[in-house]
Amino acid sequence: AFWVKVKKESLKKWVRFFDFTNGPNDNNFGLEMVDRRLKFFIYIPSPKNNSTTPTVINTNYLWKDTEWHHVCLNLTDAGNFSIFIDGVDINFKYSLCVKSVCYQPVDYEFSYIGKEPSHRSSQISANYNSFLVFNRSLNPIEISYLYKYPNSITFDNRPSDK
């Protein structure tokens, strides 16, 4: 989850919000924007030939402005991805992931915020704040809380749906 304010010059480019990877095309996943369209990408290793296949999914979300927005990419225990913008589920669901792929350790040696390892896309012109990585899935109540109360979340007072 993170706060981002995209500057005008990045709205019409191909830019990455983040790219977490074990190396070029090795179990990486992230979020990018191409001409204001938000896209999720993941590289899944093929057990047949030990190569990776990129999968890029359009989210149908159009980035509208240059204001601050809260973005949360969530991976559930079942291996399902979802995306929330400003505390609202943008109705993006992706389930290709299997636990053996998505939950293996990533050393993050080649991971980037605001660009990607191969430098094919432009570096994003944006401001980031509160870039948080959790070691578990967040529920919708917690995601909404992060959006509504960005300065008050701690491990002691986090909300729960239980």
Side-chain angles (χ1 to χ4, degrees):
F2 58 94
W3 284 91
V4 64
K5 182 178 183 180
V6 177
K7 296 184 181 176
K8 188 176 180 180
E9 56 267 24
S10 285
L11 291 176
K12 291 285 188 181
K13 294 180 179 178
W14 171 31
V15 294
R16 293 255 169 109
F17 287 100
F18 68 87
D19 188 332
F20 290 170
T21 179
N22 273 330
N25 302 334
D26 183 9
N27 280 344
N28 53 334
F29 71 94
L31 208 54
E32 65 186 12
M33 182 173 58
V34 180
D35 290 330
R36 294 180 183 245
R37 299 252 176 233
L38 198 60
K39 297 181 179 200
F40 167 77
F41 67 89
I42 189 165
Y43 286 79
I44 301 292
S46 169
K48 294 179 183 175
N49 58 10
N50 203 23
S51 67
T52 56
T53 303
T55 301
V56 179
I57 303 102
N58 291 317
T59 65
N60 295 324
Y61 184 83
L62 186 62
W63 203 266
K64 296 176 180 73
D65 56 34
T66 57
E67 299 300 316
W68 281 101
H69 292 284
H70 186 259
V71 179
C72 182
L73 177 65
N74 199 36
L75 173 61
T76 67
D77 291 337
N80 301 313
F81 284 94
S82 59
I83 299 173
F84 291 74
I85 307 284
D86 295 337
V88 176
D89 187 338
I90 66 167
N91 201 24
F92 168 79
K93 305 290 184 255
Y94 184 67
S95 305
L96 174 74
C97 228
V98 292
K99 272 192 160 186
S100 62
V101 172
C102 290
Y103 287 94
Q104 56 184 308
V106 176
D107 61 19
Y108 302 114
E109 182 179 349
F110 301 104
S111 297
Y112 295 92
I113 296 173
K115 62 180 189 174
E116 48 100 19
S118 68
H119 309 292
R120 293 172 300 168
S121 65
S122 299
Q123 185 167 334
I124 194 168
S125 181
N127 294 335
Y128 284 86
N129 196 4
S130 301
F131 200 102
L132 305 171
V133 178
F134 294 88
N135 65 352
R136 64 173 181 80
S137 178
L138 300 179
N139 64 54
I141 293 170
E142 292 171 316
I143 294 168
S144 177
Y145 191 85
L146 284 173
Y147 169 65
K148 290 178 183 174
Y149 309 103
N151 297 320
S152 62
I153 191 90
T154 69
F155 291 107
D156 296 327
N157 71 352
R158 67 178 171 83
S160 176
D161 63 352
K162 296 179 182 175

